[in-house]
Amino acid sequence: MSRLRRFAVLAAAAVLPALGLTLAGTTQASAAPNFQVPFKCGVTVTAATFSGHSPANSVDFQKSGITGMPVLASAGGTVTRVANEGSTSYGRWVEIDHGGGWRTRYAHLSTQSVSVGQAVSLGKQIGTAGATGGVTGPHLHFEERLNGVAQKAVLNGVAVPYYGHTNFTSKNSCGGNPYEATEVCGSGFSVVDSQGLANGSGTAYLLYNASTKANCVTTLKAVSLGTASPVSAFLEVQGSARVTDSGSFTYYAGPVKKTAASTCVKWGGSVGSNAYESPFEHCD
């Protein structure tokens, strides 16, 4: 599963052995937001990475005619820097604090359209691409930083290859949950059942890995996307304690996983007050 899970302050949780309830997969404080390509929905750009880039793990987004193209926030946060280094270094650049030690930087901008202290949502235009600073041609320099150190970039759950030139098509603010159930549960899992929740609030999914005989449940939100709100997912193997993941999450709850070869399972989840609980089923 991608390290880009969910960016939220989790609700306090207790382990209740008597009831068979546990909280699975609690997110660490440093969990990254689901960073998106910093261009408009549907725009395809080339993510260029190369040895010797300063700082290491930076990404240069390239595209013919990129000068003047809108640059968008890759996740919600608060603007911490709006600077102009002139004809050196970053040139015109913007930094956004996303919480949990995570920040992004956008450099060589031709224009900047935000101010320090401004709260920005995912997809908010923060400037336009250009060729300011110490560059030989127009592009957008991009960094995902954790505690001041540039990390290898991940865009919408997909790791940017190092080193090379890879095309990415932006899903920034395209609408809908940017995650899929198979992405949440990880490699080898396939959806075997799903249930839409009332009022179009989300969908609970049951997945299975035929190789490991493991089940996985996740609940994907369809409302309040990008904002922490109550969501849960649970899985109960017949004869064993139920495992539940619940809290205030931005996109989904889970994954909740248990091995259950040839054993019935009960599964489900909730978004807000809208909940689903299956009978014991899928016993093969």
Side-chain angles (χ1 to χ4, degrees):
M1 176 189 165
S2 164
R3 67 181 176 86
L4 295 183
R5 182 161 185 253
R6 52 202 171 178
F7 181 49
V9 177
L10 300 184
V15 177
L16 303 175
L19 298 179
L21 295 177
T22 61
L23 180 65
T26 301
T27 301
Q28 300 298 314
S30 61
N34 184 26
F35 291 121
Q36 299 293 306
V37 176
F39 292 93
K40 287 186 174 181
C41 176
V43 171
T44 298
V45 289
T46 299
T49 57
F50 51 89
S51 178
H53 206 165
S54 180
N57 300 327
S58 304
V59 176
D60 282 351
F61 287 110
Q62 303 171 346
K63 183 178 178 64
S64 176
I66 196 172
T67 300
M69 286 180 55
V71 174
L72 313 183
S74 63
T78 302
V79 178
T80 51
R81 293 290 298 272
V82 179
N84 185 357
E85 311 293 342
S87 60
T88 64
S89 186
Y90 287 157
R92 293 183 179 273
W93 64 286
V94 169
E95 180 183 76
I96 301 175
D97 184 353
H98 306 284
W102 285 97
R103 297 190 179 199
T104 48
R105 289 184 176 182
Y106 313 76
H108 309 313
L109 301 171
S110 58
T111 64
Q112 298 145 299
S113 53
V114 290
S115 56
V116 172
Q118 180 178 341
V120 294
S121 58
L122 168 67
K124 168 69 176 178
Q125 183 171 335
I126 61 173
T128 55
T132 60
V135 299
T136 57
H139 65 274
L140 176 68
H141 175 99
F142 176 76
E143 301 171 27
E144 296 176 5
R145 301 171 68 90
L146 176 60
N147 297 326
V149 179
Q151 307 295 303
K152 287 189 174 181
V154 179
L155 300 168
N156 195 37
V158 178
V160 175
Y162 288 77
Y163 299 99
H165 291 69
T166 309
N167 287 342
F168 281 82
T169 299
S170 177
K171 295 183 180 180
N172 197 328
S173 299
C174 291
N177 194 314
Y179 288 96
E180 297 180 359
T182 50
E183 178 186 353
V184 175
C185 287
S187 177
F189 282 93
S190 299
V191 174
V192 296
D193 207 344
S194 63
Q195 177 64 48
L197 303 179
N199 302 315
S201 57
T203 304
Y205 292 90
L206 174 67
L207 296 86
Y208 185 68
N209 187 317
S211 297
T212 63
K213 312 302 181 185
N215 291 268
C216 177
V217 176
T218 181
T219 302
L220 302 188
K221 295 167 54 177
V223 295
S224 301
L225 294 173
T227 301
S229 64
V231 56
S232 71
F234 78 86
L235 175 61
E236 181 179 344
V237 177
Q238 195 164 29
S240 301
R242 177 177 295 192
V243 179
T244 301
D245 182 26
S246 64
S248 291
F249 306 139
T250 53
Y251 292 104
Y252 62 86
V256 180
K257 299 179 181 180
K258 294 197 74 172
T259 301
S262 302
T263 307
C264 303
V265 297
K266 183 181 290 187
W267 61 281
S270 65
V271 174
S273 61
N274 304 303
Y276 170 73
E277 180 170 325
S278 79
F280 280 112
E281 57 185 9
H282 298 289
C283 304
D284 298 333

